[in-house]
Amino acid sequence: MKLISKLTLFITLSKLAIVLLFVLTLPYLIGEIARNYTDYYLQQQQKKVLEVVAKNGVDTYLQGEQSYGSYTMLKEEYISLEPVEKGLVLDTIYTDERIIEQDTLNYRVLTHSFITENGTFLMEIGKTIETIDQYERPLQRIATYVLLGLILITLIIDLFYTRYLLMPLNRIIRTKIINRKFPFNENSVPIQTNTTDFRFLDDSLINLMEQIHEAFEKEREFTANASHELMTPIGILQNKIENLMGEPEVSDFVQERLIGMQKTLNRLKRIVHSLLLISRIENEQFSKKESAPAAELFADVMDEISHRLSEKDISLKIEISNEIILENINRDLLFQMLYNLVNNAIRYNKPSGFIHIVNRMNPDGSYDVDLIDSGIGIPKEDVGTIFNRFKKANQLEDSAGYGLGLSIVKSIADYHKIAISISSEIAKGTTITLSFPAELIRT
């Protein structure tokens, strides 16, 4: 999952968690708010009553009676004053039941005792719980709507800001990682960003690619120069050996030694030619403007190598569609690639074994060719390294003798953007799959 997707998911889930937590705690919060407001309202009513008593006396309410009581028409609020014994001190707010005209109702009640010239009185001011509940429901709706609105606004802002914040990272991935082809010939342009972490990442990737490109160029230059320089002494040695072999006074023993030296020089010459070929491929010195039927290419390979099949009594079955045309290729390079693969399949096959070559078109337009053999197989630990130069996988030795044949195969495949995958099992055989991209295929 992409980083932007993870952040978006986290932001959304965190907002939903906040909403859920708020909804669960909302009744309690609103209830507390309503009760606090009611208590404040009762205290204000108390304050007004005490102000009237202080100004006009308690008889303003008693009017000659021992006590005073009054309530609204719907019994939502009431007030009462009654004398109590001297020294009683009360000042509380609580919830309790009261009977008013034979109706038992729950009230939020404020009780307060105060002293006047007429004695000590107890004041009760009450407000029904139902009235408080009437406040809670609209408050809950309003709070819920406000919360949802704020969550939606902040969610949109967070998503846009997150995308804006990660835009430099997306540009780094697009320009420095995705579709970048080794050896990084293009100059990398620094990403414009004021985020220190992204700038450091971009600079590090640019420096890394420059170092890799420089090291690759040095290796490629050395390979090309060394190969060219080696051809001259090899040619001189071959001429001297041939001249010595033509001398009549050279004994049979020396002739045998000279023949062995000639074979070694020929093998060295093949290695140098292979290195030069790899160097030319990596330097993109071959054109890719040719086209050829896939079946025709395999037929040419079979004509060239058919004598090897009879030597080991190996059966060959080819199922290649005649309708598949490979275009934008270098025919000679593809021939060399297929020849090396088939040659290895023969060399490391079992006596009286088989080679099966099949193809298939994929829904995305790409084209796969499977080379299946019944050979000795490749150990799992060597599968990932058999294309490395001069790397021998156990006793596997390709046509160049020291790992260069398969290295040539890999260079040609990379040059044409052909993917190679290997599936192998010891003593049971190997399957090599060549995946041709859709741009190389015409049907």
Side-chain angles (χ1 to χ4, degrees):
M1 185 182 293
K2 292 183 177 180
L3 178 60
I4 182 64
S5 301
K6 288 185 177 181
L7 288 175
T8 301
L9 182 61
F10 171 76
I11 291 172
T12 304
L13 292 179
S14 63
K15 301 295 184 185
L16 292 177
I18 293 173
V19 171
L20 180 61
L21 179 63
F22 184 81
V23 169
L24 292 176
T25 58
L26 186 60
Y28 172 78
L29 295 174
I30 295 299
E32 285 296 314
I33 293 172
R35 279 189 290 274
N36 290 335
Y37 172 76
T38 302
D39 293 348
Y40 174 77
Y41 173 79
L42 295 176
Q43 290 169 349
Q44 292 299 112
Q45 293 296 97
Q46 169 195 316
K47 183 178 179 182
K48 290 179 181 179
V49 172
L50 293 177
E51 288 176 353
V52 171
V53 170
K55 183 177 181 181
N56 301 322
V58 72
D59 287 334
T60 304
Y61 291 100
L62 298 178
Q63 295 182 356
E65 299 292 335
Q66 290 292 324
S67 61
Y68 171 79
S70 177
Y71 54 86
T72 61
M73 182 180 297
L74 298 179
K75 305 173 186 176
E76 293 176 347
E77 299 179 18
Y78 81 90
I79 181 173
S80 69
L81 297 173
E82 58 182 24
V84 294
E85 61 185 28
K86 187 177 180 180
L88 178 66
V89 178
L90 288 175
D91 190 11
T92 60
I93 299 177
Y94 58 94
T95 301
D96 198 5
E97 291 183 351
R98 291 290 185 272
I99 299 175
I100 299 179
E101 293 185 348
Q102 299 179 352
D103 289 335
T104 302
L105 301 174
N106 288 321
Y107 284 89
R108 188 71 175 164
V109 180
L110 177 147
T111 61
H112 177 73
S113 60
F114 60 95
I115 301 173
T116 68
E117 67 276 6
N118 296 333
T120 302
F121 287 85
L122 180 66
M123 176 197 312
E124 276 194 3
I125 302 175
K127 190 174 183 63
T128 58
I129 298 299
E130 291 183 358
T131 306
I132 300 175
D133 293 339
Q134 290 174 1
Y135 297 147
E136 292 184 10
R137 285 189 289 272
L139 283 174
Q140 288 182 14
R141 286 196 300 270
I142 293 172
T144 302
Y145 295 152
V146 170
L147 174 68
L148 292 177
L150 291 175
I151 289 292
L152 181 61
I153 293 172
T154 56
L155 181 62
I156 294 174
I157 293 174
D158 287 347
L159 293 179
F160 274 101
Y161 181 72
T162 301
R163 290 185 177 274
Y164 169 76
L165 193 64
L166 294 179
M167 281 177 60
L169 179 60
N170 292 331
R171 289 198 296 269
I172 290 172
I173 293 174
R174 288 197 309 270
T175 59
K176 304 296 189 305
I177 299 175
I178 296 179
N179 297 327
R180 288 304 303 270
K181 183 175 175 58
F182 184 81
F184 314 129
N185 293 320
E186 308 89 353
N187 292 327
S188 297
V189 179
I191 298 298
Q192 298 299 320
T193 176
N194 55 8
T195 304
T196 306
D197 294 337
F198 292 156
R199 189 183 305 117
F200 177 76
L201 175 62
D202 187 52
D203 293 341
S204 299
L205 286 174
I206 291 176
N207 292 334
L208 179 62
M209 287 188 289
E210 288 177 351
Q211 291 174 15
I212 293 174
H213 179 69
E214 182 179 354
F216 179 79
E217 287 295 327
K218 289 180 178 178
E219 178 193 351
R220 188 161 59 179
E221 182 179 356
F222 172 78
T223 301
N225 292 340
S227 301
H228 281 294
E229 294 298 327
L230 283 172
M231 290 303 294
T232 300
I234 289 174
I236 294 172
L237 284 173
Q238 279 187 317
N239 289 332
K240 288 184 177 182
I241 291 173
E242 290 173 358
N243 292 333
L244 284 173
M245 292 174 65
E247 294 292 333
E249 60 271 14
V250 175
S251 65
D252 292 340
F253 175 78
V254 175
Q255 285 281 1
E256 291 179 2
R257 296 298 183 188
L258 291 175
I259 291 173
M261 294 172 61
Q262 187 79 329
K263 290 180 179 179
T264 301
L265 280 176
N266 287 333
R267 186 167 59 188
L268 180 59
K269 193 173 183 179
R270 288 198 302 271
I271 293 173
V272 173
H273 278 300
S274 297
L275 288 173
L276 285 172
L277 177 61
I278 292 173
S279 177
R280 292 185 62 196
I281 294 171
E282 291 175 344
N283 282 301
E284 300 183 357
Q285 295 179 4
F286 292 92
S287 66
K288 294 187 292 185
K289 298 181 180 180
E290 299 175 302
S291 62
E296 183 179 304
L297 267 178
F298 277 96
D300 291 345
V301 172
M302 291 308 108
D303 289 342
E304 186 76 17
I305 208 169
S306 57
H307 64 282
R308 297 285 311 280
L309 296 170
S310 58
E311 291 176 0
K312 298 188 68 171
D313 190 24
I314 295 174
S315 62
L316 174 66
K317 183 179 181 181
I318 300 178
E319 298 179 6
I320 300 295
S321 173
N322 293 320
E323 300 176 354
I324 302 299
I325 306 297
L326 303 177
E327 57 183 7
N328 299 320
I329 62 168
N330 185 286
R331 183 189 178 104
D332 292 336
L333 290 182
L334 285 190
F335 174 88
Q336 183 69 45
M337 178 184 72
L338 297 175
Y339 179 91
N340 286 357
L341 291 174
V342 175
N343 185 55
N344 273 348
I346 296 173
R347 172 175 294 184
Y348 303 108
N349 216 316
K350 300 174 183 177
S352 302
F354 68 86
I355 298 174
H356 191 188
I357 302 175
V358 295
N359 68 171
R360 60 182 178 277
M361 285 294 300
N362 298 315
D364 61 356
S366 61
Y367 172 68
D368 290 353
V369 175
D370 294 332
L371 285 83
I372 307 167
D373 66 58
S374 59
I376 61 176
I378 305 171
K380 289 183 179 180
E381 61 271 18
D382 291 334
V383 168
T385 62
I386 64 172
F387 293 111
N388 293 353
R389 296 178 196 177
F390 303 107
K391 172 68 178 180
K392 289 186 181 180
N394 288 344
Q395 297 180 354
L396 181 63
E397 191 175 289
D398 61 84
S399 57
Y402 291 88
L404 289 178
L406 289 179
S407 182
I408 290 172
V409 168
K410 188 67 168 63
S411 297
I412 295 172
D414 290 345
Y415 186 53
H416 289 85
K417 298 181 181 179
I418 300 170
I420 303 179
S421 59
I422 300 177
S423 173
S424 185
E425 192 171 348
I426 294 296
K428 290 188 177 181
T430 301
T431 298
I432 296 180
T433 301
L434 302 173
S435 296
F436 293 78
E439 55 266 26
L440 298 184
I441 306 303
R442 175 165 54 89
T443 57

